[in-house]
Amino acid sequence: MRFLFRPPAHEAAELLSLPWDQPLEEWDEQLLLEVPQRGISRHVVRFVASGRHVYALKEIAERLARHEYALLSHFEEEGLPTVSVLGICVDRPGQQEAILVTRYLEYSMSYRWLFSSPRAEHSAELLLDTMVELLVRLHLAGVFWGDCSLSNTLFRPDAGALAAYLVDAETVERHPTLSAGQRRYDVDLARERVGAELLDLQFGGLLPEGIDPITTAEGLPPRYEALWEEVTAEQVFGADEQQWRITERLQRLNDLGFDVGEVELITSPEGARLRVETRVAEPGQHRRELLRLTGLEVQERQARRLLNDIVAYRAWLEQKTGKPVPEPVAAHRWLAEVYQTVMAAIPPELAGRLAPAEIFHEVLVHRWLLSEKAGRDVGTEEAARSYVANVLPRTPPEVTTPSVIAGRATGR
Amino acid sequence: MASIEIKNIVKQYGDGFPAVNDVSLDIADGEFMILVGPSGCGKSTLLRMIVGLEDITSGDMIIGGKKVNDLAPRDRNLSMVFQNYALYPHMTVFENIAFPLRLAKMPDDEVRRRVTEASDVLELKDHLERKPANLSGGQRQRVAMGRAIVRQAEAFLFDEPLSNLDAKLRGQMRTEISRLQRRLGITTVYVTHDQTEAMTLGDRVCVLRKGKIQQVASPRELYEQPVNLFVAGFIGSPPMNFLPATPKGDRLETPFGEIVLDQKRAAAVAGHDLLLVGIRPEYFEDASLVDEAKRPLGSVFTARVDVTEWLGDSQFAYIPYEAPESIQTHLRELSRELDAEELRTQAIVSIDSTSRIREGREAQFWLDSRKVHVFDPETGDNLTRDAEAGAELTRMATQDRVEQIEEVRAASVGAA
Ligand SMILES: Nc1ncnc2c1ncn2[C@@H]1O[C@H](COP(=O)(O)OP(=O)(O)OP(=O)(O)O)[C@@H](O)[C@H]1O
Ligand SMILES: Nc1ncnc2c1ncn2[C@@H]1O[C@H](COP(=O)(O)OP(=O)(O)OP(=O)(O)O)[C@@H](O)[C@H]1O
Ligand SMILES: [Mg+2]
Ligand SMILES: [Mg+2]
């Protein structure tokens, strides 16, 4: 047998002791983790915990495993939103297929759970928008997906919204750019697959009453076209409106979740033509800033939310002490006095249902609601107590992220 | 269902390289056409232009008499089969086949009619009310085909559909696709680099090389009357042997002795110097096992056998031979172009499985000289090709196909 992985992959060593020579189907249940809300798949896909990490293992023909491994590695380098690949195991005895190993995307949720969720705030619309954003991003990067579906997309809560990740690159083709025909075909495949998956949920009695699979799926192509147009369109305007038009466009792209790489402005007597080159990477400005200040790794919208809270905390500190407080000091104190206090309020049995940063975001939302009702600011501590008692338990235990479950089993 | 006319199609990618270079091809209504050739020959690009995935640089793509160059893939009403065969666990097999029609909001009775018809053809009738979880590998693939059938597309398109299946399922599916295409009489374009698939599936096979068509013909015509070295070397497994040959009157001098040519072929090669003679493995035999009646139709020579390979029902012997440097260079280039293994100047000959010819010894072989072809090594042209005989083979294949389709159509009218 041969293992191929790209350093650094300290974790790879932990995995070597697994029974790679056996068919994945027959692995001892003791080694595996149930992930009840996973998507449907043609291949055998199973999950294992090793050390503090959880992995997804997929048994698949060697040619495809190599293809998927190479693509996912490139995507990650480019900052495209995909699962992270660890490596592959090939040359297994008895002509068995290869195994592709990806890192489990913690706190991700499949559409199956999102739709049957008792917290129905994630509407079908939000889900489609998130998916379309992912598809546009991939198309900008010259990625033809060939199998865009709800099962092949993972969703992560991100400060009240969702972020989408590609999970299955088996059918992906990489091109320098995509033709209009390729994009349309990909969108059409997506429409059909989303429609089929929703119909399937409906047949299984898992789809909420108000959602119609066919209309929902039909909504995908126009949403895609609209976003693609916004992101790629060339604009023409008069010379006098240049300044604010550029600002407006960049702001709009940021709001849509895209960063701009380069702006090209061609002026002529008739006016100016504006072309923007949209970055394909996930936006990461706030994420990097938060990491620098606190060492916390979270998603972009969550980061924006947490940074705002740090700013507010700093103002409060300055007011209280009557002295300027340097940003790093404020961030440090916020981490210890605010963020960690909230995290400490979560009892072990509720841990892992949502990502810590998402919990923090929800506590802030809750605090706002309580304060409004009370007619005074109730403060983060009180809000956290109430949230843990009344809100968090409504997130069902099935969505607890696998690494936390694995940690519990081994007493960590 | 529709014909597909490809007229002077060119595809240049961004770097200006013509991946498909002035290709014209008429695919008849109901025909099974194979696009085949080594990696990079442009077969996938051609298929993608039919589907609408690549813009056409110049030329016309006409489907069912309508120019489709500027139509979106969806509006061409073609079906790429097997691209997706996700099975949905809560839906019955019926619904797993029907959902494309449901999404198109087709009335219930029409959905029922189409699914029932497709499941008849696919022999899935007894499984329609089951959930897909317990279907076999082959049945799953048939559900995927069912989805393609119920759409009633103008044509089926396949791009290397079997390359990810294991050997057993691959053989099974090859038969299945062939049977289905015949029963439905649907125009089909099938891309493969596997010449066995090409030869067993196609009514006609289009061999591509560097973006250009080499030959379009029935499998038998390609095999027996190839236009050039490239086609001769690509079609057939194990491949045709190419030996240096010098014409001398009505004979060719070769490392395996003299080969006598009939008058027509002798005239065709007269005046040339060094040529290549192409002999398929099965034109050889262990001389001691050839019956007397056949013997005079070929020549006998003695050679040392390097290796023999006994496969039970057949046997191969490998015979090294000498070739001048110029010929070796041509052959090396050819095998590189064909993605073949590094060329060795040794012939692969098929002998009866009962033959007692042994490795490392001298042995007598017989060679059937009636079917050899002679090629110009510089141009690659087949100097001895009999165009009329070739065309006759393809005519026969076309006639078979038309008759089969008429039978099917008559039967379905009768049933309706
Ligand atoms: N790294 C990961 N993190 C979280 N979940 C994962 C990961 N990898 C796979 N999954 C889950 O497993 C499911 C199946 O994986 P995947 O889509 O790769 O399998 P597949 O057999 O190729 O599917 P398909 O039938 O769509 O080709 C996914 O829908 C997802 O829910
Ligand atoms: N998007 C692209 N941009 C530039 N060149 C391309 C692109 N796609 C294909 N080519 C080139 O066009 C030629 C034909 O490619 P094509 O994929 O059609 O060949 P193929 O016969 O299908 O090969 P294979 O069997 O390897 O798939 C090749 O030289 C290839 O490198
Ligand atoms: Mg998948
Ligand atoms: Mg897949």
Side-chain angles (χ1 to χ4, degrees), chain A residues 181-257:
Chain A
Q182 282 166 327
R183 292 192 299 106
R184 286 199 194 134
Y185 191 66
D186 218 12
V187 172
D188 206 46
L189 288 176
R191 179 190 62 84
E192 198 176 284
R193 274 154 222 207
V194 168
E197 285 166 315
L198 294 180
L199 276 174
D200 187 53
L201 287 184
Q202 197 173 55
F203 275 100
L206 297 168
L207 196 67
E209 278 295 318
I211 301 176
D212 175 49
I214 301 177
T215 344
T216 309
E218 277 175 349
L220 200 140
R223 275 164 208 266
Y224 170 89
E225 284 307 331
L227 182 59
W228 179 264
E229 179 64 20
E230 284 233 45
V231 169
T232 59
E234 256 186 41
Q235 267 175 304
V236 183
F237 43 76
D240 46 338
E241 30 173 23
Q242 259 181 41
Q243 195 105 40
W244 70 269
R245 285 290 206 169
I246 297 176
T247 319
E248 181 193 56
R249 181 76 189 276
L250 297 188
Q251 184 56 49
R252 178 74 189 134
L253 284 173
N254 283 154
D255 291 347
L256 291 170

Side-chain angles (χ1 to χ4, degrees), chain A residues 40 42 63-64 112 173 179 181-182 184-185 188 191-193 195-197 200 203-204 206 214 218, chain B residues 48 52-54 72-74 80 83-85 87-91 95 99 102-103 105 151 163-164:
Chain A
I40 52 176
R42 282 169 288 180
R63 199 174 66 84
L64 294 173
R112 295 196 165 242
E173 289 168 24
S179 69
Q182 282 166 327
R184 286 199 194 134
Y185 191 66
D188 206 46
R191 179 190 62 84
E192 198 176 284
R193 274 154 222 207
E197 285 166 315
D200 187 53
F203 275 100
L206 297 168
I214 301 177
E218 277 175 349
Chain B
R48 290 151 169 279
L53 291 174
E54 297 286 358
R74 199 180 166 182
M80 285 281 260
Q83 275 231 316
N84 157 43
Y85 57 94
L87 293 176
Y88 300 99
H90 299 301
M91 304 205 289
E95 291 301 335
F99 79 80
R102 302 266 185 229
L103 293 177
K105 299 187 183 152
R151 278 171 221 258
S163 53
N164 297 323

